[in-house]
Amino acid sequence: MVHDGRRFALGTTDDITVLGDWSCDGVDTPALLRPQTGLVALYLAWPEAGGAASPEHTEIFPAATNLDITTVDGCDQLRVIDPSGSALIVEVRS
Amino acid sequence: MNNAHPKGQISETISVRSATRLGTIALAAGAILFAMPLDAGPSQLGELFVWWEQVGTPQATVSLLRASALLLASWLFFVSLIGAAGAACRSATTARLAWRLTPRSIRRLIAVSVVLSVATPGLANAAESTELPAPILVDLGPAEASASEDADPPELIDLGPVVASPRPWHLDAIQPTSPLPEAAIATFLQSPSAESETWQVAPGDHLWSIAEEILAEGGASPSESDVEHYWRRLTDANREAIGLNPDLIHPGILLTLPTTT
């Protein structure tokens, strides 16, 4: 993926990633779903040049199949979708 | 007077009959004692109302019925056991005392209690099943701990600045190796896709850089919002080819390029 003129690698080809402004700071950062394990990882900042960043927030949603974004009051919220189409909102605790 | 029996024979007959009946009652009461497990109830009398609310009225009623039946059965068991022992020892006084302590009304009450306490669990369960299932809040531990089951949380890695890659392949660069039939050519030209260009993804390509390069073909350097707009159109136009993750495209995929106007 690309941000601010730099390229970043995240996860594997089976992972699902989306970009959103999770912390309402005006910067879109990635979130990842690994469907095999249900792991949802959320990143609030991009790594420094040549560096790597670990997720600030991780959670397991065993039945998760996809990610979605909804915008509330100018901030993005990550929604985890299950096979029935129901969505759970992942809250970011600062 | 021919039916008259000596007094000792009558006492012996009563003792044997009493011992048999009391022994049977003692055995039945003992069997009930062992067969009926007592439900867990409140540990203190003061907790009765709390326990009642926790388990619900149907289950609490059943539990109290069972406890009452067990209490009566215990009492009947010990009294009958003593009476049976007295009757076996030909102690008419002990046997009569046992019979007086266990009159027919008490035995019937015990029978009714036992029948009710055995039958009511089914009724209680039936009553409970008509209630809507209440949501249960289950503590599964801290989210961070469960997330650690994925031994290797993915890291976000910087790969360096974006380098524009040359467009490796275009539809207009293709020359048919053999002439197409006229009908096929007509169909091809009428198809909307005939007017759109395609892009075969090369190693290192990503949708953003492709969008930038396509827009830059016009001469002016595109703004970030223009690139983002085109990136979304590019993504929408190639949903099936891209899959769920537009940030991960594989070399060899053929992308349809939307018009830049």
Side-chain angles (χ1 to χ4, degrees), chain B residues 36-222:
Chain B
M36 287 179 54
L38 188 61
D39 298 328
S43 57
Q44 294 178 356
L45 193 60
E47 299 174 359
L48 178 64
F49 292 106
V50 177
W51 167 78
W52 193 286
E53 285 186 2
Q54 282 178 344
V55 301
T57 300
Q59 188 59 42
T61 307
V62 170
S63 298
L64 285 182
L65 268 173
R66 290 187 138 198
S68 303
L70 282 174
L71 200 64
L72 288 170
S74 307
W75 174 71
L76 183 64
F77 175 74
F78 288 110
V79 171
S80 302
L81 199 63
I82 292 169
C89 297
R90 295 180 183 176
S91 171
T93 307
T94 309
R96 285 196 186 102
L97 182 64
W99 276 115
R100 283 176 186 167
L101 287 174
T102 55
R104 181 170 294 177
S105 58
I106 294 292
R107 292 197 298 273
R108 284 182 177 173
L109 182 62
I110 291 173
V112 169
S113 299
V114 169
V115 169
L116 278 177
S117 60
V118 170
T120 43
L123 296 175
N125 291 337
E128 284 175 354
S129 66
T130 59
E131 297 177 0
L132 289 173
I136 301 171
L137 185 63
V138 180
D139 178 23
L140 297 178
E144 288 74 13
S146 60
S148 67
E149 290 174 5
D150 196 313
D152 185 22
E155 286 190 328
L156 184 61
I157 302 167
D158 177 34
L159 297 177
V162 175
V163 179
S165 57
R167 295 174 63 184
W169 190 86
H170 284 83
L171 182 65
D172 52 17
I174 291 181
Q175 297 297 325
T177 55
S178 59
L180 292 169
E182 280 190 14
I185 292 172
T187 305
F188 182 75
L189 292 176
Q190 286 169 7
S191 167
S193 62
E195 298 174 1
S196 60
E197 294 183 344
T198 57
W199 179 293
Q200 189 174 35
V201 176
D205 275 357
H206 44 81
L207 293 178
W208 189 273
S209 66
I210 295 170
E212 276 184 326
E213 188 165 343
I214 296 299
L215 292 176
E217 280 186 343
S221 179

Side-chain angles (χ1 to χ4, degrees), chain A residues 26-69:
Chain A
V27 178
D28 286 352
T29 50
L32 172 144
L33 166 65
R34 182 159 290 166
Q36 294 90 342
T37 61
L39 172 74
V40 171
L42 208 145
Y43 303 79
L44 299 183
W46 296 94
E48 298 292 328
S54 296
E56 278 82 2
H57 183 87
T58 57
E59 201 156 340
I60 299 289
F61 296 89
T65 57
N66 205 353
L67 296 178
D68 191 11
I69 300 173

Side-chain angles (χ1 to χ4, degrees), chain A residues 17-33:
Chain A
T17 59
V18 293
L19 290 174
D21 183 6
W22 320 121
S23 52
C24 304
D25 58 358
V27 178
D28 286 352
T29 50
L32 172 144
L33 166 65

Side-chain angles (χ1 to χ4, degrees), chain B residues 23-42:
Chain B
T24 306
I25 292 171
L27 279 175
I32 292 167
L33 275 176
F34 283 105
M36 287 179 54
L38 188 61
D39 298 328

